[in-house]
């Protein structure tokens, strides 16, 4: 229903040459333009005799409708590049249905970023006393990495990577943001540090500090 076929050609037409195809296409476009124009005039004449109670144009051909009555639609046909790191910061909690088999195997991970889906994580990845004391971890931030998301499931599946710490504190929150965006914040290796000049004074002199604006 979201595709309108304006013209259709058989591959056998290619045997008659490219010129024949171009002429045929040109003729069909002219016919389509004339047909649309005539319908537009007819619709315009009809609108004159309509009462003021009409809310808008009522035509069968959507090409005759004004832009404000149209809703553009599209379909994703290919994922060119996966930009998201598949890592998210959030909280873990027990599933609501305690009698289900899933309750014995998985916990629910709720991301802080609501654009990321909720994730089933194995209980084996959770702290050992999480099932008996879930309230202890209600404000504890965790990093989860999404591994899969099946078409017939409302929730993705993933693995808990690490515990960050208490929510609201600067260090856990900062580490969570850096991990989500794939920023490598580990210390520089000795090989990298050896590339720097070794005989420079890596301290700003008092005279240089006096000429600078301190933004620390």
């Amino acid at each position: 229903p979201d595709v309108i076929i304006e013209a259709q050609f058989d591959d056998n037409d290619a045997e008659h040459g490219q010129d024949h195809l171009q002429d045929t296409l040109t003729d069909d476009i002219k016919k389509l333009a004339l047909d649309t124009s005539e319908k537009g005039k007819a619709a315009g004449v009809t609108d004159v005799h309509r009462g003021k109670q009409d809310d808008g144009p009522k035509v069968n051909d959507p090409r005759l409708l004004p832009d404000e009555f149209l809703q553009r639609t599209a379909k994703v046909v290919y994922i060119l590049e996966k930009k998201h790191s598949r890592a998210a910061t959030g909280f873990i909690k027990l599933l609501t249905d305690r009698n289900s088999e899933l309750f014995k195997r998985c916990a629910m991970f709720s991301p802080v970023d609501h654009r990321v889906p909720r994730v089933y994580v194995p209980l084996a990845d959770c702290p050992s006393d999480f099932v008996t004391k879930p309230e202890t971890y209600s404000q504890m931030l965790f990093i989860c990495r999404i591994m899969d998301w099946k078409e017939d499931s409302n929730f993705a599946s993933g693995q808990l990577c690490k515990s960050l710490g208490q929510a609201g504190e600067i260090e856990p929150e900062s580490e969570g943001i850096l991990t989500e965006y794939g920023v490598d914040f580990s210390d520089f290796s000795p090989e990298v540090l050896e590339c720097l000049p070794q005989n420079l004074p890596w301290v700003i002199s008092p005279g240089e500090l006096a000429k600078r604006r301190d933004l620390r």
Side-chain angles (χ1 to χ4, degrees):
D2 56 347
V3 177
I4 300 174
I5 300 177
E6 298 182 352
Q8 190 168 3
F9 300 96
D10 192 350
D11 292 339
N12 296 329
D13 290 342
E15 298 177 0
H16 301 289
Q18 187 67 25
D19 295 337
H20 174 69
L21 278 175
Q22 188 170 356
D23 294 340
T24 305
L25 181 59
T26 303
D27 292 339
D28 284 344
I29 291 176
K30 289 180 180 178
K31 292 178 182 177
L32 182 63
L34 291 173
D35 184 57
T36 304
S37 177
E38 291 174 358
K39 288 183 179 180
K41 291 178 181 178
V45 172
T46 306
D47 289 341
V48 174
H49 301 286
R50 283 182 179 167
K52 293 184 179 180
Q53 69 274 12
D54 290 346
D55 296 329
K58 298 177 181 178
V59 293
N60 294 327
D61 191 347
R63 291 170 296 181
L64 302 179
L65 291 172
D67 289 344
E68 59 265 23
F69 292 99
L70 298 178
Q71 173 65 52
R72 289 179 171 84
T73 60
K75 181 189 294 185
V76 176
V77 296
Y78 183 73
I79 298 176
L80 185 63
E81 182 181 359
K82 295 181 179 180
K83 300 291 289 184
H84 197 271
S85 64
R86 301 297 187 271
T89 306
F91 305 93
I92 57 174
K93 53 187 177 182
L94 294 174
L95 300 180
T96 55
D97 189 1
R98 295 178 175 269
N99 298 322
S100 65
E101 286 294 324
L102 198 59
F103 179 87
K104 303 176 183 178
R105 297 185 289 107
C106 297
M108 179 63 72
F109 175 83
S110 297
V112 175
D113 188 349
H114 297 291
R115 297 172 298 178
V116 182
R118 286 181 288 177
V119 186
Y120 286 134
V121 294
L123 283 177
D125 295 347
C126 302
S128 57
D129 58 344
F130 169 67
V131 177
T132 57
K133 299 179 181 179
E135 65 279 355
T136 306
Y137 303 94
S138 60
Q139 295 300 316
M140 188 75 68
L141 280 176
F142 290 86
I143 287 286
C144 173
R145 191 169 298 276
I146 297 175
M147 307 303 295
D148 190 21
W149 193 359
K150 296 181 179 179
E151 295 181 359
D152 58 350
S153 176
N154 292 329
F155 308 111
S157 58
Q159 294 179 348
L160 284 185
C161 296
K162 65 179 298 186
S163 171
L164 296 178
Q166 197 71 15
E169 297 182 359
I170 294 179
E171 290 296 331
E173 298 280 359
S174 300
E175 184 176 348
I177 294 173
L178 294 173
T179 305
E180 285 182 353
Y181 285 92
V183 179
D184 183 7
F185 54 93
S186 58
D187 294 335
F188 289 112
S189 64
E191 291 78 14
V192 174
L193 296 177
E194 289 176 0
C195 296
L196 298 174
Q198 303 297 321
N199 54 355
L200 292 179
W202 291 99
V203 178
I204 302 176
S205 63
E208 182 65 24
L209 273 178
K211 296 185 292 182
R212 300 189 182 190
R213 182 180 176 186
D214 194 348
L215 297 176
R216 292 173 295 181

